[in-house]
């Protein structure tokens, strides 16, 4: 079985038109909503070709043999820095509603919530949507954006700051994981794809140089895109921490976190697994997404990440299964009996 813990929704154009409309009138015409039929949703998932691809979303996950996906909103679309903040709330809620409908239509999809993290405001709105998503929509986790200002020149609080504590408390209460993932970037010098990597690196640093896991020992955090630069620069962060007891070394504290395999070369995936270990790694491919391009030397699409995991000869078969689906089942509290029945 293969479960992709990091996938994003493919939706009818009406969702993106809704975003354009509310940002144009800034709420003056009221909330409105996205009105689409089930057939229109099926068209977007099963028929519409992904950007620069010959495949629809469903065709693509069939191609790479992914059994299930945890779906979340498209992060670069989430506009956390927009004002007034009700625009953020409306669009994120509509995005989550779209994901919910798809989880009801397709048993291959599981919901992961976007949060309306309005830049510069308390987290009340985000916490309320997390509760709705988990308790009413049966979502199994959420995205967490470390920079709601979207690289606009205002520095957000580090993830170790007490600003984030009400959200961490709610995550522990609901017993669901947060998946760290940046959103947009208002910088031409640092476009959103680069911003993701830099923010994920900064997020890990902020978490592990804080008391977050002392204060919230049951908090479950996943870091997107292989942890940004963290695995490659682990020595830089560990060296100055070695003056204290081993339990305080950066390389020991990192065991509090999980990392996904959304990396598009076999060398990068293998390096992540060597540094972080299979017990802390969750399979992610973000299909279809940035890596949905056929590499002329590989002969296959770059986001066919499962083959990279399967080809690592020093991983045991048990460890490969842990990475490809068992770690995700455990962390997101998926029902193994239902999964076994579905794919037996």
């Amino acid at each position: 079985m293969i479960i992709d813990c990091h996938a994003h929704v493919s939706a009818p154009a009406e969702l993106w038109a809704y975003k354009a409309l509310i940002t144009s009138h800034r709420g003056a015409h009221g909330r409105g909503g996205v009105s689409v039929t089930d057939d229109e949703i099926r068209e977007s998932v099963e028929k519409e070709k992904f950007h620069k691809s010959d495949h629809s979303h469903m065709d693509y996950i069939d191609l790479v043999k992914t059994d299930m996906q945890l779906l979340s909103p498209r992060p670069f679309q989430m506009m956390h820095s927009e004002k007034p903040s009700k625009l953020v709330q409306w669009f994120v809620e509509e995005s989550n509603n779209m994901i919910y409908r798809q989880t009801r239509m397709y048993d291959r999809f599981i919901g992961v919530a976007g949060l309306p993290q309005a830049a510069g405001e308390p987290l009340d709105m985000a916490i309320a949507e997390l509760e709705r998503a988990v308790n009413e929509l049966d979502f199994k986790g959420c995205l967490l954006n470390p920079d709601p200002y979207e690289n606009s020149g205002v520095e957000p609080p580090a993830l170790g700051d007490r600003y984030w504590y009400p959200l961490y408390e709610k995550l522990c209460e609901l017993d669901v994981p947060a998946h760290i993932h940046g959103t947009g970037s208002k910088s031409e010098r640092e476009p959103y794809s680069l911003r993701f990597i830099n923010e994920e690196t900064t997020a890990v640093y902020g978490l592990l140089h804080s008391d977050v896991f002392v204060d919230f020992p049951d908090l479950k955090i996943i870091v997107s895109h292989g942890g940004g630069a963290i695995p490659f620069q682990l020595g830089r962060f560990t060296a100055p921490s070695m003056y204290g007891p081993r339990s305080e070394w950066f390389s020991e504290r990192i065991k509090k976190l999980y990392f996904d395999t959304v990396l598009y070369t076999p060398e990068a995936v293998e390096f992540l697994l060597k540094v972080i270990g299979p017990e802390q790694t969750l399979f992610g491919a973000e299909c279809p997404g940035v890596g949905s391009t056929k590499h002329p030397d590989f002969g296959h699409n770059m986001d066919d990440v499962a083959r990279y995991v399967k080809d690592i000869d020093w991983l045991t078969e048990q460890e490969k299964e842990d990475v490809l689906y068992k770690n995700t089942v455990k962390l997101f509290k998926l029902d193994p009996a239902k999964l076994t029945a579905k794919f037996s």
Side-chain angles (χ1 to χ4, degrees):
M1 188 184 301
I2 298 174
I3 302 178
D4 186 350
C5 79
H6 181 157
H8 304 304
V9 67
S10 294
E14 283 82 356
L15 179 63
W16 320 120
Y18 173 76
K19 175 183 175 180
L21 182 65
I22 61 173
T23 53
S24 296
H25 64 62
R26 297 288 156 183
H29 296 172
R31 172 169 178 152
V34 179
S35 179
V36 294
T37 65
D38 286 354
D39 284 342
E40 288 171 319
I41 292 176
R42 291 189 186 95
E43 180 76 17
S44 68
V45 174
E46 301 176 25
K47 303 296 182 183
E48 289 182 11
K49 302 297 189 290
F50 191 72
H51 179 61
K52 296 183 179 178
S53 171
D54 294 328
H55 306 286
S56 69
H57 188 125
M58 195 63 78
D59 288 340
Y60 201 92
I61 61 176
D62 285 340
L63 179 70
V64 297
K65 297 180 172 59
T66 296
D67 295 301
M68 301 185 75
Q69 289 188 313
L70 275 64
L71 284 188
S72 60
R74 297 261 166 202
F76 77 98
Q77 292 275 7
M78 290 175 69
M79 64 173 187
H80 285 161
S81 63
E82 286 294 331
K83 300 295 180 185
S85 60
K86 62 186 176 183
L87 304 182
V88 181
Q89 178 185 10
W90 294 349
F91 180 68
V92 171
E93 288 178 359
E94 290 293 330
S95 297
N96 288 339
N97 291 342
M98 180 64 65
I99 293 169
Y100 173 71
R101 288 183 64 180
Q102 293 190 16
T103 64
R104 302 279 72 80
M105 294 169 64
Y106 301 100
D107 58 10
R108 298 174 73 175
F109 294 152
I110 298 166
V112 171
L115 299 182
Q117 296 177 231
E121 298 187 16
L123 290 164
D124 299 6
M125 195 160 62
I127 291 169
E129 179 61 5
L130 175 62
E131 288 188 299
R132 182 182 82 98
V134 173
N135 293 330
E136 298 179 24
L137 308 184
D138 196 30
F139 283 20
K140 301 303 183 183
C142 69
L143 298 183
L144 172 57
N145 175 20
D147 179 20
Y149 294 100
E150 297 185 290
N151 202 16
S152 60
V154 180
E155 188 170 271
L159 287 189
D161 191 275
R162 287 186 174 269
Y163 167 81
W164 301 99
Y165 272 37
L167 178 58
Y168 297 154
E169 183 177 7
K170 183 58 63 175
L171 287 163
C172 291
E173 177 189 320
L174 296 171
D175 193 21
V176 294
H179 199 150
I180 291 175
H181 199 308
T183 58
S185 176
K186 293 191 171 181
S187 166
E188 290 187 55
R189 178 177 178 271
E190 191 181 9
Y192 72 84
S193 197
L194 175 58
R195 184 66 174 173
F196 291 167
I197 306 307
N198 293 340
E199 272 302 303
E200 286 140 14
T201 304
T202 303
V204 172
Y205 186 87
L207 279 170
L208 299 187
H209 283 86
S210 76
D211 291 329
V212 165
F213 287 103
V214 175
D215 296 332
F216 300 98
D218 297 325
L219 183 65
K220 298 184 288 190
I221 298 285
I222 307 150
V223 191
S224 292
H225 310 121
I230 291 295
F232 301 92
Q233 299 295 334
L234 190 60
R236 171 173 288 275
F237 300 127
T238 299
S241 70
M242 292 174 68
Y243 294 103
R246 187 171 186 122
S247 61
E248 294 301 315
W249 291 7
F250 191 90
S251 55
E252 296 296 319
R253 280 180 274 158
I254 206 169
K255 295 175 183 178
K256 300 286 187 181
L257 300 171
Y258 298 85
F259 298 79
D260 73 27
T261 63
V262 182
L263 301 161
Y264 299 131
T265 61
E267 296 86 356
V269 172
E270 183 170 8
F271 185 80
L272 173 70
L273 282 159
K274 281 183 177 179
V275 173
I276 299 301
E279 65 280 357
Q280 291 170 253
T281 304
L282 276 63
F283 176 75
E286 195 193 339
C287 294
V290 171
S292 301
T293 304
K294 183 173 286 189
H295 194 295
D297 296 337
F298 295 173
H300 60 79
N301 288 349
M302 295 180 71
D303 56 7
D304 188 0
V305 178
R307 71 169 64 218
Y308 304 154
V309 176
K310 293 176 180 179
D311 287 346
I312 298 174
D313 56 12
W314 51 265
L315 281 180
T316 67
E317 290 305 309
Q318 178 62 55
E319 289 171 333
K320 291 176 184 179
E321 288 186 355
D322 288 344
V323 173
L324 291 172
Y325 75 96
K326 288 185 176 178
N327 291 343
T328 296
V329 169
K330 181 179 179 180
L331 195 65
F332 285 90
K333 293 169 53 184
L334 307 182
D335 186 340
K338 291 182 179 178
L339 299 177
T340 301
K342 192 184 305 293
F343 296 107
S344 60

